[in-house]
Structure formats: structure tokens, C-alpha cells
Amino acid sequence: MAESLDTGSRSTGPLAQPGLNQLERVVDTFVAPEKTFLDIRRNASWWAPFLLGTVVTLLFTFCVDRQIGFENVAEANISRSPQAQERLNSMTEAQRSQTMRTIAATTKAFSYAYPVTSLIFAVVIAVILLVSFNFGLGATASYACYLAVWFYASLPLVLKYMLAVIAISAGASSERFELQNPIGTNIGWYLSSDVPLWMRTLLSSFDLFTIWTIVLLIIGCAAVAGVKRTSAAIVVVAWWIMTIIAFTAAAGMQS
């Protein structure tokens, strides 16, 4: 009898509260992120943010294709790289035209295939988080939890590209359009092509939506791993800084 009463009292506790549905998770990521990430410990489903990201990415690519054109995207990319310009200038007109068509077609193909690329990228990121927190800090969260955290933490980037769709539809200039940096939410977007590529890459890394994502990633990792946010911040920010250094160095070599 006592055991029955004890079981009944536990069923009315916090653990018996119904979990969030997928829509509530998406909304709470923006307004109450800890609720979303704590719910991931109950159910590590990540299909909702992935599906939302896929739809927005394909819509963005379609708008770029129709409104700007991948030929213009290729020309803009070449104009930002002195090394690429030098190679093209050494070609004949026929070779240059063929090269530009190839670059445009390749960029277009990779852009439409980006949902697959983003899934592969997420899988790798989740492995890094698992190793960093479970082996580095002694956490016990599952791989699926870290994967879900990444997808939900990336929702601000989905919002960024939705704003880019609106900007393109409103007639954004094709001359300064950059596929990886489509709207002016970072200092690098405002710099001219005369500024060294490594400097533009470095300053573009500190994007408002990227910083938002990093903050959510810290909150999410702390929630699912059961560690302090300061510890989660050290791990996440350290990886972010290393990524920035790697991309900046690569841009420097292109210059």
C-alpha cells in the first residue's frame, strides 16, 4: 500500500509533465531556449529544425538562381580573390568563359545540395561535442542529444537566410552579393574588395546570427551534458575560435 501511494505521488511530479512538441521546441528555442534543450534529454528528435533549415536553404538557393544568377555569383566570388583573378587573366577568352561556366555550375550544384552537406557537417559537429563533453568533462549525454542540440541551436542561421530571401526578393544588388555572407549582419559584409580577404573573412566570422547560435549551443550543451554553462562556454568558444583561425588562415593563403 505504501509503495502504491509512493508511486502515485511520483507520477504527479515534474517528470510526469508532458514534453514539448516539435513546434513548441522551435518557438522556445527563440524565447525560452533552456526549455527546448532540457526537453531534448527526454526526446532527442531533431527532424523539425533540419526540415525547416532544408526548406529555407532550398528557397534561398532558388531565389539566388532566379533573381541574381549563379554566373553573377561566380563573378563576384572571383572579384574578391586576387589569386583567382590572376589565374583568369592568364587564360584566353575562351578558356576564361569555360572556367566561369564551370564555376557557376559547380556553385549552383553545391548550393542545391547544401541540405545534404549540412547534415554531414552536423554529424561531424555532434561527434566533436560528444568527445569534448563526455570524454573531456565526464558527461554522459547521448550522441543523438548533441546532434539535436546542434540543429536547434542553428535555428538563428535559418532566420538569417530567411531574411536574405526577403532581401533578394526586394532587389538586392548582384554586384556585391556573397553566397556565404548574404546580408549585412557583420562588419565584413561592409568592407570593399580592396580589403585583404583574410581580414574580410575574420570580421565576417563575428556575425550577429552566428554569435546567437554560439550562445544557444552553450546553453544546449550545458543542459544535455549536465555541466556548468561556464564549462560549456569554454569548450564551445574554444572550438569556435579555432574554426575562425582556420578559415582566416585559409583566406590568407588565397590572398
Side-chain angles (χ1 to χ4, degrees), residues 173-186:
S173 173
S174 61
E175 294 182 0
R176 62 172 301 166
F177 180 79
E178 187 174 355
L179 199 62
Q180 293 79 20
N181 193 16
I183 55 176
T185 53
N186 56 77

Side-chain angles (χ1 to χ4, degrees), residues 47 69-70 84-85 88 133 192 204 226:
W47 64 264
F70 280 96
Q85 289 180 25
L88 284 177
F133 284 95
S192 69
S204 296

Side-chain angles (χ1 to χ4, degrees), residues 80-91:
R80 297 185 186 94
S81 174
Q83 189 179 41
Q85 289 180 25
E86 185 178 347
R87 285 200 303 268
L88 284 177
N89 290 336
S90 66
M91 298 178 182

Side-chain angles (χ1 to χ4, degrees), residues 210-255:
T210 301
I211 294 172
W212 190 354
T213 294
I214 293 298
V215 171
L216 290 178
L217 197 57
I218 292 169
I219 296 172
C221 287
V224 301
V227 300
K228 294 181 179 179
R229 286 188 184 176
T230 51
S231 300
I234 291 172
V235 172
V236 172
V237 172
W239 279 112
W240 181 40
I241 290 174
M242 285 190 285
T243 302
I244 291 173
I245 292 172
F247 278 104
T248 303
M253 288 187 287
Q254 290 182 36
S255 301

Side-chain angles (χ1 to χ4, degrees), residues 46 117-128 143 147 150-151:
W46 48 265
T117 307
S118 68
L119 180 58
I120 296 172
F121 182 74
V123 168
V124 174
I125 290 295
V127 170
I128 293 173
Y143 173 80
L147 189 60
W150 170 255
F151 278 116

Side-chain angles (χ1 to χ4, degrees), residues 104-187:
T106 302
T107 304
K108 180 177 180 178
F110 273 104
S111 296
Y112 276 108
Y114 185 75
V116 177
T117 307
S118 68
L119 180 58
I120 296 172
F121 182 74
V123 168
V124 174
I125 290 295
V127 170
I128 293 173
L129 294 176
L130 175 71
V131 172
S132 300
F133 284 95
N134 285 21
F135 292 92
L137 298 180
T140 58
S142 69
Y143 173 80
C145 283
Y146 291 114
L147 189 60
V149 165
W150 170 255
F151 278 116
Y152 280 99
S154 298
L155 281 173
L157 300 178
V158 176
L159 178 59
K160 174 182 177 177
Y161 280 89
M162 193 66 242
L163 293 175
V165 168
I166 296 172
I168 293 169
S169 302
S173 173
S174 61
E175 294 182 0
R176 62 172 301 166
F177 180 79
E178 187 174 355
L179 199 62
Q180 293 79 20
N181 193 16
I183 55 176
T185 53
N186 56 77
I187 297 175

